[in-house]
Amino acid sequence: MHVKAKTLAFGGLLLALTVVFMALGSVIETSTLFLLAAASFFVGIVIREFGLRIGAVFYIAAVLLGLITAPNKFYVFTFAAMGFYIWGIEAVWRWLEKRPHYENRKAFFWISKYVIFNIVYIPAVFLFRGLLFGRTISDAVLIGVLAGGQIGLFIYDKAYEYVQAHMWGKLRGRMIG
């Protein structure tokens, strides 16, 4: 596989920004989720510009570099979950692009988003229950946390769509072109 110099340079720049955002999430505690979400959006930019393979390599490199450099490793795992979601929905989108005859493509895409998210989110809530909550919580609170995650996904996904359509759409020509 030959990687063009432009792809490598731009990918390296985005990788550096991704790792900086992960590290800043540890430093600026009030903006941790914002910075981790922004870092994960770079995964989507790389996928849209260079494809799923290079996006997967970028994602793996970001997680590995984050584990080496970020002060708080828990934030790297959070980034990894967000990046996995981005990679997954971009893969589903590309799969749907090849099948224009499918009916209810929009519904299928939204269901896929929630399935991908919950594949990561639900096990994380149950496996890291003690770490996340610090004490025993009731089943009602747990259900609230699971429902809140679904609402959080909706907000995160809308933010991702906005960044891709509006912000990256305007910057793209200046940076790649």
Side-chain angles (χ1 to χ4, degrees):
M1 172 167 108
H2 294 97
V3 180
K4 297 178 186 175
K6 191 179 204 179
T7 303
L8 192 60
F10 187 69
L13 176 67
L14 289 182
L15 185 58
L17 285 172
T18 301
V19 172
V20 167
F21 278 31
M22 272 191 269
L24 281 176
S26 297
V27 176
I28 307 170
E29 292 286 333
T30 56
S31 298
T32 299
L33 280 178
F34 171 80
L35 291 166
L36 293 175
S40 70
F41 293 170
F42 292 130
V43 174
I45 290 171
V46 169
I47 291 169
R48 288 194 181 186
E49 294 301 324
F50 307 116
L52 285 171
R53 275 192 200 162
I54 292 179
V57 170
F58 177 88
Y59 167 72
I60 292 166
V63 170
L64 292 175
L65 279 173
L67 287 171
I68 293 168
T69 61
N72 190 332
K73 305 309 182 214
F74 183 71
Y75 295 159
V76 178
F77 293 119
T78 305
F79 162 80
M82 291 174 160
F84 176 78
Y85 169 78
I86 296 291
W87 192 90
I89 65 169
E90 291 293 338
V92 169
W93 179 256
R94 288 175 184 249
W95 185 81
L96 283 172
E97 280 182 331
K98 295 176 184 173
R99 290 157 181 81
H101 61 278
Y102 267 37
E103 292 183 29
N104 300 322
R105 291 162 42 108
K106 192 172 186 176
F108 180 82
F109 188 54
W110 270 99
I111 291 168
S112 297
K113 287 180 178 188
Y114 278 91
V115 167
I116 292 167
F117 171 74
N118 284 304
I119 285 172
V120 175
Y121 183 66
I122 292 172
V125 169
F126 284 104
L127 291 174
F128 300 112
R129 195 177 199 173
L131 182 64
L132 294 171
F133 305 113
R135 59 185 174 88
T136 305
I137 59 168
S138 69
D139 289 340
V141 172
L142 187 61
I143 290 169
V145 167
L146 293 173
Q150 309 311 305
I151 295 166
L153 170 65
F154 182 79
I155 295 167
Y156 173 75
D157 193 69
K158 288 296 180 187
Y160 176 66
E161 288 175 6
Y162 179 82
V163 165
Q164 285 290 359
H166 299 289
M167 295 175 75
W168 179 242
K170 290 178 183 175
L171 288 174
R172 183 177 189 274
R174 294 181 191 154
M175 297 189 76
I176 299 254

Short mmCIF file of all heavy atoms in Angstrom, two decimals, residues 13-68:
data_model
loop_
_atom_site.label_atom_id
_atom_site.label_comp_id
_atom_site.label_asym_id
_atom_site.label_seq_id
_atom_site.Cartn_x
_atom_site.Cartn_y
_atom_site.Cartn_z
N LEU A 13 -0.64 15.56 10.91
CA LEU A 13 -1.10 16.80 11.54
C LEU A 13 -2.36 16.54 12.36
O LEU A 13 -2.47 16.97 13.51
CB LEU A 13 -1.35 17.87 10.48
CG LEU A 13 -1.93 19.19 10.98
CD1 LEU A 13 -0.94 19.92 11.85
CD2 LEU A 13 -2.35 20.05 9.80
N LEU A 14 -3.32 15.84 11.77
CA LEU A 14 -4.55 15.53 12.49
C LEU A 14 -4.30 14.59 13.67
O LEU A 14 -4.94 14.72 14.72
CB LEU A 14 -5.60 14.93 11.55
CG LEU A 14 -6.21 15.89 10.54
CD1 LEU A 14 -7.27 15.17 9.71
CD2 LEU A 14 -6.79 17.11 11.20
N LEU A 15 -3.35 13.68 13.51
CA LEU A 15 -3.00 12.78 14.61
C LEU A 15 -2.41 13.58 15.78
O LEU A 15 -2.75 13.34 16.94
CB LEU A 15 -2.02 11.71 14.13
CG LEU A 15 -1.64 10.63 15.12
CD1 LEU A 15 -2.88 9.87 15.61
CD2 LEU A 15 -0.66 9.66 14.48
N ALA A 16 -1.55 14.53 15.46
CA ALA A 16 -0.98 15.37 16.52
C ALA A 16 -2.08 16.16 17.23
O ALA A 16 -2.10 16.25 18.46
CB ALA A 16 0.06 16.32 15.92
N LEU A 17 -3.00 16.73 16.47
CA LEU A 17 -4.11 17.47 17.08
C LEU A 17 -4.98 16.56 17.94
O LEU A 17 -5.43 16.95 19.01
CB LEU A 17 -4.96 18.13 16.00
CG LEU A 17 -4.36 19.38 15.33
CD1 LEU A 17 -5.22 19.81 14.15
CD2 LEU A 17 -4.23 20.50 16.34
N THR A 18 -5.20 15.35 17.47
CA THR A 18 -6.00 14.39 18.23
C THR A 18 -5.37 14.10 19.58
O THR A 18 -6.04 14.14 20.61
CB THR A 18 -6.16 13.08 17.43
OG1 THR A 18 -6.81 13.37 16.19
CG2 THR A 18 -6.97 12.05 18.19
N VAL A 19 -4.08 13.85 19.59
CA VAL A 19 -3.38 13.53 20.83
C VAL A 19 -3.34 14.76 21.74
O VAL A 19 -3.51 14.64 22.96
CB VAL A 19 -1.96 12.98 20.53
CG1 VAL A 19 -1.15 12.82 21.80
CG2 VAL A 19 -2.07 11.66 19.80
N VAL A 20 -3.14 15.94 21.17
CA VAL A 20 -3.16 17.17 21.97
C VAL A 20 -4.53 17.36 22.62
O VAL A 20 -4.62 17.69 23.80
CB VAL A 20 -2.77 18.40 21.11
CG1 VAL A 20 -3.09 19.70 21.82
CG2 VAL A 20 -1.29 18.34 20.76
N PHE A 21 -5.59 17.13 21.87
CA PHE A 21 -6.94 17.27 22.44
C PHE A 21 -7.17 16.26 23.56
O PHE A 21 -7.79 16.57 24.57
CB PHE A 21 -8.00 17.11 21.35
CG PHE A 21 -8.25 18.36 20.56
CD1 PHE A 21 -7.26 19.30 20.33
CD2 PHE A 21 -9.50 18.60 20.02
CE1 PHE A 21 -7.50 20.44 19.59
CE2 PHE A 21 -9.76 19.74 19.28
CZ PHE A 21 -8.75 20.67 19.07
N MET A 22 -6.67 15.02 23.38
CA MET A 22 -6.81 14.02 24.44
C MET A 22 -6.06 14.47 25.69
O MET A 22 -6.57 14.36 26.81
CB MET A 22 -6.27 12.66 23.99
CG MET A 22 -7.27 11.80 23.29
SD MET A 22 -6.65 10.13 23.08
CE MET A 22 -5.86 10.27 21.49
N ALA A 23 -4.85 14.96 25.51
CA ALA A 23 -4.05 15.41 26.66
C ALA A 23 -4.70 16.63 27.32
O ALA A 23 -4.73 16.73 28.54
CB ALA A 23 -2.63 15.72 26.22
N LEU A 24 -5.21 17.54 26.51
CA LEU A 24 -5.87 18.72 27.07
C LEU A 24 -7.12 18.34 27.86
O LEU A 24 -7.49 19.04 28.81
CB LEU A 24 -6.24 19.71 25.97
CG LEU A 24 -5.12 20.58 25.45
CD1 LEU A 24 -5.61 21.44 24.28
CD2 LEU A 24 -4.55 21.46 26.55
N GLY A 25 -7.77 17.26 27.48
CA GLY A 25 -8.93 16.79 28.22
C GLY A 25 -8.56 16.46 29.66
O GLY A 25 -9.38 16.61 30.57
N SER A 26 -7.33 16.03 29.87
CA SER A 26 -6.86 15.74 31.23
C SER A 26 -6.52 17.02 31.99
O SER A 26 -6.61 17.06 33.21
CB SER A 26 -5.62 14.86 31.18
OG SER A 26 -5.92 13.62 30.61
N VAL A 27 -6.11 18.04 31.27
CA VAL A 27 -5.69 19.29 31.90
C VAL A 27 -6.88 20.21 32.17
O VAL A 27 -6.99 20.78 33.25
CB VAL A 27 -4.65 20.01 31.00
CG1 VAL A 27 -4.25 21.35 31.58
CG2 VAL A 27 -3.42 19.12 30.81
N ILE A 28 -7.75 20.35 31.18
CA ILE A 28 -8.92 21.23 31.32
C ILE A 28 -10.11 20.33 31.63
O ILE A 28 -10.88 19.95 30.74
CB ILE A 28 -9.15 22.04 30.02
CG1 ILE A 28 -7.87 22.77 29.61
CG2 ILE A 28 -10.29 23.03 30.22
CD1 ILE A 28 -7.93 23.39 28.23
N GLU A 29 -10.27 20.01 32.88
CA GLU A 29 -11.28 19.03 33.30
C GLU A 29 -12.72 19.45 32.96
O GLU A 29 -13.57 18.60 32.74
CB GLU A 29 -11.17 18.78 34.81
CG GLU A 29 -9.90 18.06 35.21
CD GLU A 29 -9.89 16.59 34.86
OE1 GLU A 29 -10.96 15.97 34.76
OE2 GLU A 29 -8.78 16.06 34.68
N THR A 30 -13.00 20.75 32.91
CA THR A 30 -14.37 21.18 32.64
C THR A 30 -14.77 20.96 31.19
O THR A 30 -15.96 20.97 30.87
CB THR A 30 -14.56 22.67 33.00
OG1 THR A 30 -13.59 23.45 32.28
CG2 THR A 30 -14.38 22.89 34.49
N SER A 31 -13.81 20.77 30.32
CA SER A 31 -14.10 20.60 28.89
C SER A 31 -13.68 19.23 28.38
O SER A 31 -13.47 19.06 27.17
CB SER A 31 -13.39 21.69 28.08
OG SER A 31 -13.84 22.96 28.44
N THR A 32 -13.56 18.26 29.25
CA THR A 32 -13.05 16.95 28.85
C THR A 32 -13.87 16.31 27.75
O THR A 32 -13.31 15.90 26.72
CB THR A 32 -12.99 16.02 30.07
OG1 THR A 32 -12.10 16.59 31.03
CG2 THR A 32 -12.50 14.64 29.68
N LEU A 33 -15.17 16.21 27.91
CA LEU A 33 -16.00 15.55 26.89
C LEU A 33 -15.97 16.32 25.57
O LEU A 33 -15.93 15.72 24.50
CB LEU A 33 -17.43 15.38 27.38
CG LEU A 33 -17.64 14.18 28.29
CD1 LEU A 33 -19.09 14.13 28.77
CD2 LEU A 33 -17.26 12.89 27.62
N PHE A 34 -15.97 17.63 25.64
CA PHE A 34 -15.88 18.45 24.42
C PHE A 34 -14.58 18.15 23.68
O PHE A 34 -14.58 17.93 22.46
CB PHE A 34 -15.98 19.94 24.76
CG PHE A 34 -15.68 20.83 23.60
CD1 PHE A 34 -16.63 21.07 22.63
CD2 PHE A 34 -14.42 21.40 23.45
CE1 PHE A 34 -16.37 21.88 21.53
CE2 PHE A 34 -14.14 22.21 22.35
CZ PHE A 34 -15.12 22.45 21.40
N LEU A 35 -13.46 18.15 24.41
CA LEU A 35 -12.17 17.92 23.77
C LEU A 35 -12.04 16.49 23.23
O LEU A 35 -11.49 16.28 22.15
CB LEU A 35 -11.04 18.23 24.75
CG LEU A 35 -10.90 19.73 25.08
CD1 LEU A 35 -10.02 19.93 26.31
CD2 LEU A 35 -10.35 20.48 23.89
N LEU A 36 -12.54 15.53 23.96
CA LEU A 36 -12.49 14.14 23.48
C LEU A 36 -13.39 13.96 22.25
O LEU A 36 -13.03 13.23 21.32
CB LEU A 36 -12.88 13.17 24.58
CG LEU A 36 -11.90 13.08 25.76
CD1 LEU A 36 -12.46 12.18 26.84
CD2 LEU A 36 -10.54 12.60 25.30
N ALA A 37 -14.55 14.61 22.25
CA ALA A 37 -15.42 14.54 21.08
C ALA A 37 -14.74 15.18 19.88
O ALA A 37 -14.75 14.63 18.77
CB ALA A 37 -16.76 15.22 21.37
N ALA A 38 -14.13 16.34 20.09
CA ALA A 38 -13.42 17.01 19.00
C ALA A 38 -12.29 16.12 18.47
O ALA A 38 -12.09 16.02 17.25
CB ALA A 38 -12.87 18.36 19.47
N ALA A 39 -11.58 15.47 19.36
CA ALA A 39 -10.50 14.57 18.94
C ALA A 39 -11.06 13.42 18.10
O ALA A 39 -10.48 13.04 17.08
CB ALA A 39 -9.75 14.03 20.16
N SER A 40 -12.20 12.89 18.51
CA SER A 40 -12.78 11.77 17.75
C SER A 40 -13.31 12.22 16.39
O SER A 40 -13.36 11.43 15.46
CB SER A 40 -13.88 11.09 18.55
OG SER A 40 -15.02 11.91 18.67
N PHE A 41 -13.68 13.48 16.26
CA PHE A 41 -14.16 13.98 14.97
C PHE A 41 -13.06 13.92 13.90
O PHE A 41 -13.34 13.80 12.72
CB PHE A 41 -14.69 15.40 15.08
CG PHE A 41 -15.95 15.53 15.90
CD1 PHE A 41 -16.41 16.79 16.26
CD2 PHE A 41 -16.69 14.43 16.32
CE1 PHE A 41 -17.58 16.93 17.01
CE2 PHE A 41 -17.84 14.57 17.06
CZ PHE A 41 -18.30 15.82 17.40
N PHE A 42 -11.80 13.99 14.34
CA PHE A 42 -10.69 13.89 13.39
C PHE A 42 -10.65 12.51 12.74
O PHE A 42 -10.22 12.37 11.60
CB PHE A 42 -9.35 14.20 14.06
CG PHE A 42 -9.21 15.64 14.48
CD1 PHE A 42 -8.81 15.96 15.76
CD2 PHE A 42 -9.47 16.67 13.61
CE1 PHE A 42 -8.67 17.27 16.16
CE2 PHE A 42 -9.35 18.00 13.99
CZ PHE A 42 -8.94 18.29 15.27
N VAL A 43 -11.10 11.49 13.45
CA VAL A 43 -11.19 10.15 12.87
C VAL A 43 -12.13 10.19 11.66
O VAL A 43 -11.81 9.67 10.59
CB VAL A 43 -11.68 9.11 13.91
CG1 VAL A 43 -11.93 7.76 13.26
CG2 VAL A 43 -10.69 8.99 15.05
N GLY A 44 -13.26 10.86 11.82
CA GLY A 44 -14.22 10.99 10.72
C GLY A 44 -13.67 11.78 9.55
O GLY A 44 -13.92 11.45 8.39
N ILE A 45 -12.92 12.82 9.85
CA ILE A 45 -12.33 13.63 8.77
C ILE A 45 -11.37 12.78 7.96
O ILE A 45 -11.40 12.79 6.72
CB ILE A 45 -11.64 14.88 9.34
CG1 ILE A 45 -12.69 15.86 9.88
CG2 ILE A 45 -10.76 15.55 8.29
CD1 ILE A 45 -12.13 17.03 10.65
N VAL A 46 -10.52 12.02 8.63
CA VAL A 46 -9.56 11.16 7.93
C VAL A 46 -10.29 10.12 7.10
O VAL A 46 -9.93 9.86 5.94
CB VAL A 46 -8.57 10.51 8.92
CG1 VAL A 46 -7.75 9.43 8.25
CG2 VAL A 46 -7.66 11.56 9.53
N ILE A 47 -11.35 9.54 7.65
CA ILE A 47 -12.10 8.53 6.90
C ILE A 47 -12.73 9.15 5.66
O ILE A 47 -12.65 8.58 4.57
CB ILE A 47 -13.18 7.88 7.79
CG1 ILE A 47 -12.53 7.01 8.85
CG2 ILE A 47 -14.15 7.05 6.95
CD1 ILE A 47 -13.47 6.54 9.93
N ARG A 48 -13.33 10.30 5.81
CA ARG A 48 -14.00 10.92 4.66
C ARG A 48 -13.01 11.38 3.59
O ARG A 48 -13.33 11.39 2.41
CB ARG A 48 -14.87 12.08 5.11
CG ARG A 48 -16.10 11.58 5.85
CD ARG A 48 -17.12 12.63 6.01
NE ARG A 48 -18.27 12.09 6.75
CZ ARG A 48 -19.38 12.77 6.95
NH1 ARG A 48 -19.50 14.00 6.48
NH2 ARG A 48 -20.37 12.22 7.62
N GLU A 49 -11.82 11.74 4.01
CA GLU A 49 -10.83 12.21 3.04
C GLU A 49 -10.04 11.07 2.40
O GLU A 49 -9.70 11.15 1.23
CB GLU A 49 -9.86 13.19 3.70
CG GLU A 49 -10.50 14.49 4.14
CD GLU A 49 -11.16 15.26 3.00
OE1 GLU A 49 -10.62 15.26 1.86
OE2 GLU A 49 -12.22 15.86 3.23
N PHE A 50 -9.73 10.03 3.17
CA PHE A 50 -8.80 9.02 2.69
C PHE A 50 -9.31 7.59 2.72
O PHE A 50 -8.62 6.68 2.29
CB PHE A 50 -7.49 9.11 3.49
CG PHE A 50 -6.91 10.49 3.51
CD1 PHE A 50 -6.79 11.19 4.70
CD2 PHE A 50 -6.48 11.11 2.34
CE1 PHE A 50 -6.26 12.47 4.72
CE2 PHE A 50 -5.95 12.38 2.35
CZ PHE A 50 -5.84 13.07 3.55
N GLY A 51 -10.49 7.36 3.29
CA GLY A 51 -11.06 6.02 3.28
C GLY A 51 -11.03 5.32 4.62
O GLY A 51 -10.38 5.77 5.57
N LEU A 52 -11.74 4.18 4.66
CA LEU A 52 -11.88 3.43 5.91
C LEU A 52 -10.57 2.81 6.39
O LEU A 52 -10.30 2.75 7.58
CB LEU A 52 -12.94 2.34 5.75
CG LEU A 52 -14.39 2.81 5.75
CD1 LEU A 52 -15.32 1.66 5.37
CD2 LEU A 52 -14.77 3.37 7.10
N ARG A 53 -9.75 2.32 5.48
CA ARG A 53 -8.49 1.68 5.88
C ARG A 53 -7.56 2.67 6.55
O ARG A 53 -7.03 2.40 7.64
CB ARG A 53 -7.79 1.08 4.66
CG ARG A 53 -8.25 -0.28 4.33
CD ARG A 53 -7.31 -0.90 3.35
NE ARG A 53 -8.00 -1.99 2.69
CZ ARG A 53 -7.61 -2.53 1.57
NH1 ARG A 53 -6.55 -2.07 0.96
NH2 ARG A 53 -8.28 -3.52 1.05
N ILE A 54 -7.33 3.79 5.89
CA ILE A 54 -6.45 4.79 6.48
C ILE A 54 -7.09 5.35 7.75
O ILE A 54 -6.40 5.64 8.73
CB ILE A 54 -6.10 5.89 5.46
CG1 ILE A 54 -5.22 5.27 4.37
CG2 ILE A 54 -5.40 7.06 6.12
CD1 ILE A 54 -4.80 6.19 3.28
N GLY A 55 -8.41 5.46 7.77
CA GLY A 55 -9.11 5.89 8.97
C GLY A 55 -8.89 4.92 10.12
O GLY A 55 -8.70 5.34 11.27
N ALA A 56 -8.90 3.62 9.84
CA ALA A 56 -8.65 2.62 10.88
C ALA A 56 -7.22 2.71 11.40
O ALA A 56 -6.98 2.63 12.62
CB ALA A 56 -8.94 1.22 10.35
N VAL A 57 -6.27 2.90 10.50
CA VAL A 57 -4.87 3.05 10.91
C VAL A 57 -4.71 4.32 11.76
O VAL A 57 -4.04 4.31 12.80
CB VAL A 57 -3.94 3.09 9.68
CG1 VAL A 57 -2.52 3.48 10.06
CG2 VAL A 57 -3.95 1.74 8.96
N PHE A 58 -5.35 5.39 11.33
CA PHE A 58 -5.31 6.65 12.09
C PHE A 58 -5.89 6.44 13.48
O PHE A 58 -5.32 6.88 14.49
CB PHE A 58 -6.11 7.72 11.33
CG PHE A 58 -6.19 9.03 12.05
CD1 PHE A 58 -5.20 9.99 11.88
CD2 PHE A 58 -7.26 9.32 12.88
CE1 PHE A 58 -5.27 11.20 12.55
CE2 PHE A 58 -7.34 10.53 13.55
CZ PHE A 58 -6.35 11.47 13.38
N TYR A 59 -7.03 5.79 13.55
CA TYR A 59 -7.70 5.53 14.83
C TYR A 59 -6.81 4.72 15.77
O TYR A 59 -6.63 5.06 16.94
CB TYR A 59 -9.03 4.82 14.56
CG TYR A 59 -9.68 4.22 15.76
CD1 TYR A 59 -10.27 5.02 16.72
CD2 TYR A 59 -9.71 2.84 15.95
CE1 TYR A 59 -10.87 4.46 17.84
CE2 TYR A 59 -10.31 2.28 17.06
CZ TYR A 59 -10.89 3.09 18.00
OH TYR A 59 -11.47 2.54 19.10
N ILE A 60 -6.23 3.65 15.27
CA ILE A 60 -5.36 2.80 16.09
C ILE A 60 -4.13 3.59 16.55
O ILE A 60 -3.73 3.51 17.72
CB ILE A 60 -4.96 1.52 15.32
CG1 ILE A 60 -6.19 0.64 15.13
CG2 ILE A 60 -3.84 0.77 16.03
CD1 ILE A 60 -6.01 -0.48 14.13
N ALA A 61 -3.55 4.37 15.63
CA ALA A 61 -2.38 5.18 16.00
C ALA A 61 -2.74 6.21 17.07
O ALA A 61 -1.96 6.44 18.01
CB ALA A 61 -1.83 5.89 14.76
N ALA A 62 -3.92 6.81 16.96
CA ALA A 62 -4.35 7.80 17.95
C ALA A 62 -4.53 7.15 19.33
O ALA A 62 -4.11 7.72 20.34
CB ALA A 62 -5.65 8.47 17.50
N VAL A 63 -5.13 5.98 19.36
CA VAL A 63 -5.32 5.29 20.64
C VAL A 63 -3.96 4.92 21.25
O VAL A 63 -3.73 5.16 22.45
CB VAL A 63 -6.22 4.05 20.47
CG1 VAL A 63 -6.23 3.21 21.74
CG2 VAL A 63 -7.63 4.45 20.09
N LEU A 64 -3.07 4.37 20.45
CA LEU A 64 -1.76 3.98 20.96
C LEU A 64 -0.95 5.19 21.44
O LEU A 64 -0.36 5.16 22.52
CB LEU A 64 -0.98 3.20 19.90
CG LEU A 64 -1.54 1.82 19.55
CD1 LEU A 64 -0.76 1.19 18.40
CD2 LEU A 64 -1.56 0.92 20.76
N LEU A 65 -0.94 6.25 20.65
CA LEU A 65 -0.23 7.46 21.08
C LEU A 65 -0.87 8.09 22.30
O LEU A 65 -0.19 8.62 23.17
CB LEU A 65 -0.17 8.48 19.93
CG LEU A 65 0.91 8.24 18.90
CD1 LEU A 65 0.76 9.22 17.74
CD2 LEU A 65 2.28 8.38 19.52
N GLY A 66 -2.19 8.02 22.37
CA GLY A 66 -2.89 8.54 23.55
C GLY A 66 -2.50 7.76 24.80
O GLY A 66 -2.29 8.35 25.86
N LEU A 67 -2.39 6.44 24.67
CA LEU A 67 -1.99 5.63 25.82
C LEU A 67 -0.57 5.96 26.28
O LEU A 67 -0.25 5.89 27.47
CB LEU A 67 -2.09 4.14 25.49
CG LEU A 67 -3.51 3.58 25.40
CD1 LEU A 67 -3.49 2.16 24.85
CD2 LEU A 67 -4.20 3.63 26.76
N ILE A 68 0.26 6.34 25.34
CA ILE A 68 1.65 6.69 25.68
C ILE A 68 1.74 8.09 26.29
O ILE A 68 2.48 8.31 27.24
CB ILE A 68 2.55 6.59 24.43
CG1 ILE A 68 2.66 5.14 23.97
CG2 ILE A 68 3.93 7.17 24.70
CD1 ILE A 68 3.28 4.97 22.60
#
